[in-house]
């Protein structure tokens, strides 16, 4: 019988296959006993008390995670290999690979340093001589340079007559172990190749460590770090059995210590121990491994030699066999159970041959029950895995659509239905709203459900579920009564062609409930208890998912509201005209608004990290800094200060607290109040003018009347002959009375309620009329006048008062200049206003004087009355105009700004 063909699983009893795998594991551990012998009887392999066919044996060998090679061709020309062995030999699973083949494989094979001949190969020796080969090392070098060292154990198996009919072998790739052995013999001058080999061993999947002759740890790879939880740097170089603590919780010898010391008492501590050609194999249980989870492990240790063959240490590799142990125990129980069944059957056969058929039937029933139990176990495992994946989706995903779509897909695939959908049933709105839907791609021409349905067509079924709080099942040959009553059964089973349908409700609320609908279109089916339990568990997860989605939606709404609030706050703060700055306790700026950025000429984010006084190019805070005083006192501060720019500022500083009411910073709001200060001064000046005006209105005329009488008598007396010798005195007195009268006239012009005669007229025309008079005055003083009239609209003006305003400002400008100076008089429009500008080239007005301009009787002239500018301010005020002054050492500019659209004047 030759080996060939691909292996296909036939659904044999999985426990029997796992049993064979366990026997192979024992074969690997006990290569010299006959526990796992095979015999061929009538083309059947006898395994214990059971016989199996070749395909079943091949299936068994395929699921074993170890390299197995087998042949029934005693010439060994055709040797087949399972997946694990094929991976080692670099061929496809169950492909032939043999030194005895007519077509030799593309690899050079050596044993003990010599080219291996076919008759000396392990399986050939077992086939030809019946030898049992143990641990024969074979080196393989492929044409592409790949090199592997393998270890082979082989033995023949016999037919019922005791004749050899085939060979089975176990192979293992020990290249990494060999590489590590060589690596650990390298001294401190090892080359880069050795370091690369260390990296290879470092990433071996088996937990591996090594000790020197003094039992100090010299190597500790990553796998053993994961198993023990001990980092390499914490154990390398340590002695006194530190490597036993994570396994046994106490200091005791391990296999590496037995290699070095060879104490027989240490061997007794292992459940299983074996020595083969200097290599130790052992099995034990460690309750401390994997952070106290415990593990059964299979260990293997070998000595390390120096170049002279002396033992310089030992290396041990540990593999976690916990799962294999669990399977082994279960298999033992199952084998015991099978043995009991066989014994019972044998007893019954001895008692009565007639009961043979019943025993066979009973056994088949048991096997069928076992198969059903296994199928149910597999189904429950499938359900459990699906629930885990659904739960993981709910935990990991945040998107509503992704969560629901993934859940329906996994639910539908697990149950094997053709369509799975979830609807929200809203009783109050009489609507069914689709939340998600999955459709099997294998079913063609299936139309998706609508997003929204009216419940009118499905009222009976919906009300039945709402009132009974239970699921509803309907089939094409057994329609549910409620669906038949409202006519929906016709839609489901004949229009949509649903063979079987299950409607499972969950999450009942005041307004309705949720409904999972499972549809089977290709064939009729029923749902059993385990599936209902799975659906019920899934419904709870879906309910959790809807709750999570609701929470995520509410959180999204809250975050959106918070974001809008932040944007509004940012918008408000950014659009404030005040400078708003947030400082930390070290006075460093943490945030600033747009106004602060504009003030310093930087983007607000570029202010962050600086101290405000650093932006003023200072090394320490300003005197009386409110921010500094707040951080020192913890109290809010508000004060008016003069900034480094010389302007007046109103600064408020308020503390910012943490949860423990500790000051963690301060918010500073600064407002420039220089303009406000000017307005306050202007208001004070206007108050003084108002007071003077009221006084002038009250007493001006009373003073003028007696003065007129006195002047008349003085004129009359000056004409008399008796008084001619005093004429010069009379003329002086009359001149002084006229001067007093002039002062009173100007004083009366300050009156608040003085009537003005406003008419629409041209400001330029008034200037044209006055220009010759002003020019004549300037020429007498050797000065120049420049008249520049712009295109300005007509204004509501009192011509007499405007003439007086122009003459007063012009006279002041001429008096302020030295001979040769130039006085510029011009008109213009700007920003919707008309300006009259008088600009001189004098020495300018000192700042402290500017503040007092317009104050009645304040003058810097020797013969001045101090009323000229006061009159100008009063005239500008009666015309709703603004008088401004700008001065420097190059001259002074007075400008009067009139509104183009002047308001109504109540006193006209």
């Amino acid at each position: 019988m030759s080996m060939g063909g691909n292996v296909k699983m036939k659904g044999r009893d999985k426990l029997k296959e796992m049993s064979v795998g366990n026997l192979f594991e024992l074969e690997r551990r006990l290569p010299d006993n006959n526990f796992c012998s095979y015999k061929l009887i009538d083309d059947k392999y006898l395994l214990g008390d059971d016989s199996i066919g070749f395909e079943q044996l091949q299936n068994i060998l395929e699921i074993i995670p170890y390299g197995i090679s087998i042949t029934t061709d005693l010439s060994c020309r055709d040797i087949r290999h399972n997946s694990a062995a094929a991976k080692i030999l670099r061929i496809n699973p169950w492909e032939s690979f043999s030194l005895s083949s007519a077509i030799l494989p593309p690899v050079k094979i050596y044993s003990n340093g010599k080219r291996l001949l076919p008759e000396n190969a392990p399986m050939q020796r077992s086939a030809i001589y019946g030898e049992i080969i143990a641990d024969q090392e074979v080196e393989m070098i492929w044409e592409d340079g790949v090199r592997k060292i393998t270890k082979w154990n082989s033995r023949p198996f016999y037919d019922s007559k005791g004749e050899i009919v085939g060979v089975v072998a176990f192979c293992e790739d020990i290249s990494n172990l060999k590489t590590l052995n060589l690596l650990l013999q390298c001294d401190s001058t090892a080359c880069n190749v050795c370091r690369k080999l260390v990296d290879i061993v470092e990433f071996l999947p088996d937990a591996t460590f090594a000790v020197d002759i003094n039992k100090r740890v010299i190597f500790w790879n990553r796998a053993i770090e994961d198993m023990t939880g001990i980092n390499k740097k914490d154990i390398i170089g340590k002695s006194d059995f530190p490597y036993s603590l994570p396994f046994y919780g106490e200091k005791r010898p391990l296999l590496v210590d037995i290699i070095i010391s060879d104490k027989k008492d240490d061997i007794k501590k292992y459940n299983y121990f074996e020595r083969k050609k200097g290599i130790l194999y052992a099995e034990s249980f460690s309750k401390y491994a994997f952070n106290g989870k415990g593990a059964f492990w299979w260990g293997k240790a070998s000595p390390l030699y120096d170049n002279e063959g002396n033992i310089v240490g030992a290396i041990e590799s540990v593999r976690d066999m916990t799962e294999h142990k669990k399977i082994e125990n279960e298999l033992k129980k199952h084998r015991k159970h099978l043995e009991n069944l066989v014994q019972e059957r044998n007893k019954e056969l001895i008692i009565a041959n007639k009961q043979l058929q019943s025993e066979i039937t009973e056994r088949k029933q048991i096997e069928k029950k076992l198969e059903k139990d296994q199928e149910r176990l597999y189904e429950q495992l499938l359900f459990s895995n699906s629930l885990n994946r659904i739960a993981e989706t709910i935990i990991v995903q945040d998107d509503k659509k992704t969560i629901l779509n993934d859940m329906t897909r996994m639910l539908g695939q697990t149950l094997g239905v053709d369509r799975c959908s979830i609807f929200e049933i809203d009783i109050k709105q009489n609507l069914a709203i689709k939340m998600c839907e999955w459709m099997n791609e294998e079913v063609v021409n299936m139309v998706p459900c609508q997003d929204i349905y009216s419940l009118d067509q499905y009222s009976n079924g919906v009300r039945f579920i709402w009132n009974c709080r239970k699921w509803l099942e309907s089939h094409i040959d057994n329609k549910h009564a409620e669906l038949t009553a409202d006519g929906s059964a016709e839609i489901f089973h004949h229009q949509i062609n649903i063979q079987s349908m299950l409607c499972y409700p969950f999450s009942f609320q005041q307004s309705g409930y949720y409904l999972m609908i499972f549809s089977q279109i290709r064939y009729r089916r029923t749902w059993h208890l385990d599936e209902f339990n799975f659906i019920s568990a899934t419904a709870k997860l879906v309910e959790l998912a809807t709750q999570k989605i609701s929470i995520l939606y509410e959180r999204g709404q809250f975050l959106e509201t918070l974001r809008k609030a932040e944007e509004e706050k940012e918008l408000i703060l950014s659009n404030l005209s005040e400078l708003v700055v947030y400082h930390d306790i070290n006075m460093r700026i943490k945030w600033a608004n747009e106004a602060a950025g504009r003030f310093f000429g930087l983007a607000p984010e570029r202010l962050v990290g600086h101290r405000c006084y650093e932006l003023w190019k200072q090394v320490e805070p300003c005197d009386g800094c409110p921010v500094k005083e707040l951080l020192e006192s913890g109290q809010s501060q508000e004060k008016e200060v003069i900034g480094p720019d010389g302007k007046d500022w109103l600064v408020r500083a308020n503390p910012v607290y943490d949860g423990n009411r500790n000051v963690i910073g301060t918010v500073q709001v600064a407002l420039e109040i220089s303009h406000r200060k000017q307005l306050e001064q202007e208001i004070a000046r206007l108050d003084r003018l108002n007071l003077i005006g009221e006084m002038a209105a009250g007493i001006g005329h009373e003073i003028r009347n007696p003065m007129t009488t006195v002047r008349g008598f003085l004129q009359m007396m000056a004409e008399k002959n008796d008084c001619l010798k005093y004429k010069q005195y009379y003329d002086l007195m009359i001149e002084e009375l006229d001067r007093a009268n002039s002062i009173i006239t100007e004083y009366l012009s300050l009156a608040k309620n003085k009537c003005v005669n406003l008419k629409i007229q041209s400001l330029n025309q008034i200037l044209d009329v006055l220009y010759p008079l002003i020019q004549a005055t300037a020429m007498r003083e050797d000065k120049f006048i420049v008249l520049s009239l712009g295109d300005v609209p007509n204004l509501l003006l009192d011509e007499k008062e405007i003439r007086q305003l122009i003459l007063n400002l012009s006279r002041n400008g001429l008096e302020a200049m030295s001979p040769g100076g130039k006085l510029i008089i011009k008109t213009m429009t700007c920003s919707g206003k008309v300006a009259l500008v008088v600009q001189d080239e004098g020495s300018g007005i000192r700042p402290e004087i500017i503040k007092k301009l317009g104050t009645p009787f304040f003058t810097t002239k020797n013969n001045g009355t101090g009323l000229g500018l006061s009159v100008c301010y009063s005239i500008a005020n009666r015309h709703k105009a603004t008088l401004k002054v700008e001065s420097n050492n190059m001259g002074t500019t007075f400008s009067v700004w009139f509104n183009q659209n002047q308001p109504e004047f109540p006193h006209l």
Side-chain angles (χ1 to χ4, degrees):
M1 179 175 61
S2 62
M3 304 286 293
N6 294 326
V7 179
K8 296 182 179 178
M9 297 300 292
K10 299 299 183 179
R12 288 282 297 173
D13 191 330
K14 300 298 183 183
L15 292 175
K16 182 179 292 184
E17 295 174 3
M18 294 168 66
S19 174
V20 175
N22 184 57
L23 295 175
F24 268 105
E25 174 64 14
L26 293 176
E27 172 68 14
R28 187 182 72 80
R29 299 178 183 177
L30 303 171
D32 292 334
N33 69 27
N34 294 318
F35 178 76
C36 193
S37 295
Y38 304 93
K39 293 182 180 180
L40 188 66
I41 302 176
D42 296 331
D43 289 336
K44 294 287 185 176
Y45 294 88
L46 186 62
L47 176 61
D49 293 324
D50 295 324
S51 62
I52 59 176
F54 168 68
E55 273 196 355
Q56 293 167 321
L57 177 62
Q58 200 173 17
N59 292 340
I60 292 170
L61 298 180
E62 183 59 31
I63 66 171
I64 295 174
Y66 308 103
I68 301 296
S69 301
I70 188 169
T71 182
T72 56
D73 180 5
L74 297 184
S75 68
C76 292
R77 291 188 180 89
D78 186 12
I79 301 177
R80 302 290 174 153
H81 312 268
N82 73 345
S83 295
K87 183 177 180 181
I88 296 173
L89 298 175
R90 303 179 73 194
I91 61 174
N92 295 322
W94 299 106
E95 183 180 331
S96 180
F97 183 102
S98 173
L99 278 178
S100 301
S101 175
I103 301 176
L104 294 177
V107 59
K108 295 178 182 180
I109 303 177
Y110 301 87
S111 181
N112 295 324
K114 298 179 181 181
R115 193 68 175 261
L116 183 63
L117 300 176
E119 59 268 22
N120 294 328
M123 294 188 70
Q124 282 81 342
R125 290 168 60 188
S126 294
I128 298 170
Y129 307 111
E131 292 185 55
I132 296 177
I133 307 301
D135 296 339
Q136 180 176 350
E137 292 187 5
V138 175
E139 181 181 9
M140 299 180 176
I141 304 176
W142 279 263
E143 293 176 351
D144 57 1
V146 175
R147 175 180 176 272
K148 291 187 179 182
I149 299 176
T150 58
K151 183 174 66 177
W152 291 79
N153 294 270
S154 68
R155 67 173 50 178
F157 56 88
Y158 307 86
D159 60 11
S160 58
K161 300 176 181 179
E163 295 180 0
I164 296 175
V165 293
V167 178
V168 64
F170 164 77
C171 64
E172 179 181 8
D173 185 355
I174 60 171
S175 303
N176 290 337
L177 184 60
K178 284 292 184 178
T179 300
L180 180 61
N181 207 356
L182 291 173
L183 174 65
L184 295 176
Q185 294 177 21
C186 294
D187 57 19
S188 60
T189 61
C191 61
N192 291 332
V193 176
C194 293
R195 287 194 293 271
K196 292 180 180 178
L197 292 177
V198 170
D199 293 338
I200 292 172
V201 179
E202 175 70 17
F203 290 97
L204 284 177
D206 287 341
T208 306
F209 70 98
V211 298
D212 61 13
I213 196 66
N214 296 317
K215 301 181 181 180
R216 290 191 299 254
V217 179
I218 61 174
F219 183 80
W220 193 265
N221 77 345
R222 292 192 178 184
I224 200 166
E225 284 184 343
D226 296 336
M227 179 177 284
T228 62
I230 297 177
N231 194 280
K232 179 190 301 182
K233 65 180 181 180
D234 297 327
I235 197 168
I236 292 294
K238 292 186 178 180
S239 58
D240 194 21
F241 310 110
Y243 37 78
S244 65
L245 290 174
F247 289 99
Y248 299 104
E250 62 179 352
K251 296 180 178 180
R252 54 167 280 186
L254 297 187
L255 292 180
V256 289
D257 301 292
I258 298 174
I259 288 284
I260 296 172
S261 303
D262 198 16
K263 293 182 179 180
K264 294 185 178 180
D265 290 340
D266 296 336
I267 298 175
K268 299 178 181 179
K269 297 179 180 180
Y270 291 96
N271 301 340
Y272 165 81
F273 182 88
E274 182 183 9
R275 187 192 303 269
K276 286 185 181 180
K277 296 183 180 180
I279 299 177
L280 303 185
Y281 302 88
E283 181 182 291
S284 183
F285 176 76
S286 167
K287 67 178 181 180
Y288 295 94
F290 295 110
N291 295 322
K293 294 181 180 178
F296 285 96
W297 58 268
W298 172 262
K300 183 177 182 180
S302 62
L304 300 175
Y305 301 95
D306 59 15
N307 294 332
E308 298 177 358
N310 300 317
I311 294 179
V312 295
I315 184 168
E316 182 171 342
S317 180
V318 180
R319 180 176 296 175
D320 180 13
M321 302 296 290
T322 305
E323 292 301 320
H324 288 284
K325 271 292 182 182
K326 291 180 180 178
I327 295 172
E328 184 178 298
N329 291 334
E330 290 298 324
L331 290 173
K332 286 180 179 178
K333 293 179 182 178
H334 180 63
R335 186 177 183 83
K336 184 64 176 176
H337 176 64
L338 292 176
E339 289 176 353
N340 291 336
L341 291 178
V342 173
Q343 290 175 3
E344 290 176 5
R345 187 183 65 177
N346 289 336
K347 290 178 182 179
E348 292 172 359
L349 286 172
I350 294 172
I351 296 172
N353 211 14
K354 293 180 181 181
Q355 297 181 0
L356 178 60
Q357 188 62 41
S358 63
E359 283 296 323
I360 294 173
T361 303
E362 182 180 352
R363 182 175 180 183
K364 288 181 178 180
Q365 291 175 349
I366 293 173
E367 289 179 352
K368 187 174 181 180
K369 183 179 183 302
L370 288 174
E371 288 180 1
K372 288 184 178 179
D373 290 344
Q374 183 180 352
E375 289 175 359
R376 184 181 180 189
L377 181 61
Y378 173 78
E379 187 178 64
Q380 289 178 345
L381 180 61
L382 181 64
F383 290 162
S384 177
N385 289 337
S386 181
L387 289 173
N388 288 337
R389 287 188 289 122
I390 291 173
E392 183 179 357
T393 299
I394 296 172
I395 294 171
V396 173
Q397 297 292 340
D398 289 335
D399 181 64
K400 172 184 177 181
K401 185 175 181 181
T402 302
I403 292 175
L404 292 176
N405 287 341
D406 286 353
M407 288 175 61
T408 51
R409 174 179 53 79
M410 288 185 280
L411 188 58
Q413 290 175 345
T414 302
L415 291 173
V417 296
D418 294 332
R419 186 202 303 265
C420 175
S421 53
I422 300 178
F423 282 83
E424 179 183 357
I425 306 301
D426 193 325
I427 300 296
K428 291 185 177 180
Q429 298 187 30
N430 198 41
L431 294 175
I433 305 167
K434 184 176 73 173
M435 300 180 65
C436 54
E437 181 180 37
W438 172 84
M439 296 187 297
N440 193 334
E441 296 179 353
E442 296 178 359
V443 182
V444 297
N445 300 326
M446 190 158 45
V447 180
C449 295
Q450 297 177 193
D451 291 335
I452 298 177
Y453 289 94
S454 171
L455 296 181
D456 293 338
Q457 186 70 52
Y458 315 98
S459 58
N460 284 26
V462 170
R463 291 293 176 182
F464 170 80
I465 294 174
W466 174 254
N467 295 327
C468 299
R469 296 294 201 269
K470 65 175 293 185
W471 46 266
L472 182 152
E473 185 176 359
S474 182
H475 304 276
I476 192 168
D477 58 353
N478 185 17
K479 301 177 182 66
H480 195 279
E482 298 295 338
L483 302 186
T484 302
D486 61 18
S488 58
E490 176 67 21
I491 297 174
F492 291 132
H493 293 300
H494 296 286
Q495 295 183 19
I496 308 179
N497 296 322
I498 296 176
Q499 301 296 309
S500 297
M501 181 176 70
L502 175 66
C503 300
Y504 194 94
F506 64 97
S507 188
F508 286 91
Q509 302 169 5
Q510 291 183 353
S511 60
Y513 56 91
Y514 291 93
L515 188 65
M516 288 191 290
I517 302 176
F518 305 97
S519 304
Q520 202 74 51
I521 296 175
R522 293 174 294 177
Y523 54 87
R524 187 189 189 282
R525 69 169 290 175
T526 57
W527 283 266
H528 55 76
L529 180 60
D530 288 339
E531 289 177 325
F532 277 112
N533 292 336
F534 169 67
I535 294 172
S536 175
T538 304
K540 294 178 181 178
L541 290 178
V542 175
E543 187 171 359
L544 288 176
T546 57
Q547 293 174 2
K548 176 182 178 180
I549 290 168
S550 176
I551 293 171
L552 288 175
Y553 175 78
E554 292 175 358
R555 186 182 71 175
Q557 293 292 99
F558 172 76
L559 292 177
E560 179 64 17
T561 302
L562 184 62
R563 183 188 63 78
K564 289 182 179 179
E566 286 291 328
E567 289 180 352
E568 291 175 357
K569 181 201 75 174
E570 188 75 19
L571 183 63
I572 292 170
L573 292 177
S574 296
N575 286 280
L576 286 177
S577 59
E578 292 91 341
L579 278 62
V580 182
V581 181
Y582 171 46
H583 302 266
D584 62 14
I585 58 174
N586 297 315
M587 296 186 69
R588 292 192 180 276
I589 296 174
K590 304 292 287 185
W591 182 89
N593 71 344
E594 293 289 339
R598 287 194 301 270
F599 178 77
F600 287 106
L602 297 171
E605 55 269 16
R606 294 189 61 187
L607 301 179
V608 175
H610 295 281
R611 296 182 175 91
C612 63
Y613 58 83
E614 293 174 348
L615 298 172
W616 292 108
K617 308 300 182 183
Q618 298 181 176
V619 296
E620 59 183 16
C622 303
D623 293 337
C625 174
V627 174
K628 180 181 178 184
E629 292 182 359
L630 182 147
L631 294 174
E632 292 175 349
S633 65
Q635 302 296 320
S636 298
Q637 302 290 325
E638 180 176 346
K639 58 172 60 179
E640 295 181 5
V641 299
I642 298 177
D645 57 350
K647 296 181 179 179
D648 295 309
W649 292 87
L650 175 62
V651 181
R652 295 187 296 272
N654 296 300
V656 177
Y657 300 101
D658 61 11
N660 298 320
R661 297 292 296 173
N662 297 317
V663 177
I664 60 173
T666 175
V667 174
Q668 176 187 17
V669 181
L671 176 65
E672 183 187 346
I673 58 173
S674 300
H675 182 65
R676 192 181 78 181
K677 286 280 189 180
Q678 293 175 357
L679 290 177
E680 291 175 351
Q681 294 173 1
E682 181 69 13
I683 292 172
R685 185 187 63 77
L686 292 176
D687 287 343
R688 290 193 296 271
L689 285 177
N690 183 51
L691 176 62
I692 292 170
E694 291 176 355
M695 292 173 60
I699 65 174
H701 291 288
E702 299 300 325
I703 295 175
R704 259 181 163 180
N705 291 335
M707 284 181 62
T708 302
T709 302
V710 171
R711 189 179 189 285
F713 277 105
L714 287 175
Q715 284 180 324
M716 184 181 66
M717 293 178 67
E719 298 297 328
K720 290 184 178 183
N721 294 329
D722 297 340
C723 299
L724 288 176
K725 61 180 178 179
Y726 301 110
K727 185 174 179 11
Q728 59 179 345
Y729 298 113
Y730 287 121
D731 290 341
L732 178 61
M733 286 186 289
I734 291 171
E735 182 180 343
E736 290 301 317
L737 283 173
D738 289 341
R739 173 176 169 78
N741 187 51
S742 175
I743 292 173
I744 291 171
T745 300
E746 290 186 356
Y747 189 53
L748 285 173
S749 69
L750 299 177
K752 176 181 179 182
N753 297 322
K754 180 181 178 181
C755 292
V756 291
N757 184 19
L758 296 175
K759 296 180 180 179
I760 296 293
Q761 49 192 311
S762 172
L763 177 62
N764 288 346
Q765 186 176 356
I766 295 173
L767 284 168
D768 283 334
V769 172
L770 292 177
Y771 175 67
L773 178 62
I774 299 171
Q775 189 178 37
T777 304
M779 291 177 64
R780 286 198 304 269
E781 299 177 1
D782 193 20
K783 299 171 185 176
F784 302 94
I785 302 296
V786 176
L787 184 65
S788 176
L789 301 180
D791 184 12
V792 298
N794 293 338
L795 303 171
L796 277 172
L797 302 174
D798 185 318
E799 183 178 356
K800 291 183 179 180
E801 290 209 330
I802 295 302
R803 288 166 62 93
Q804 184 177 2
L805 171 70
I806 295 171
L807 290 174
N808 283 355
L809 294 178
S810 301
R811 184 168 57 249
N812 285 345
L814 291 171
E815 291 175 354
M817 295 190 299
S818 302
K822 179 173 63 177
L823 182 71
I824 299 174
I825 303 174
K826 60 182 178 180
T827 59
M828 60 182 181
T829 57
C830 182
S831 300
K833 294 190 176 185
V834 177
L836 168 65
V837 181
V838 179
Q839 181 178 351
D840 65 48
E841 293 182 347
S843 59
I845 304 174
R846 297 192 305 275
E848 62 272 17
I849 300 299
I850 291 178
K851 295 181 179 180
K852 298 179 181 179
L853 292 179
T855 302
F857 305 112
F858 174 77
T859 181
T860 58
K861 302 176 184 177
N862 293 331
N863 298 319
T865 63
L867 293 174
L869 278 179
S870 298
V871 171
C872 291
Y873 275 106
S874 295
I875 293 172
N877 186 50
R878 286 193 288 272
H879 283 76
K880 304 299 180 183
T882 303
L883 179 60
K884 296 183 180 180
V885 183
E886 297 178 2
S887 184
N888 53 42
N889 57 4
M890 301 296 294
T892 302
T893 300
F894 283 86
S895 57
V896 184
W897 295 84
F898 299 90
N899 295 318
Q900 289 192 39
N901 299 320
Q902 296 184 10
E904 295 293 331
F905 290 81
H907 53 278
L908 293 180

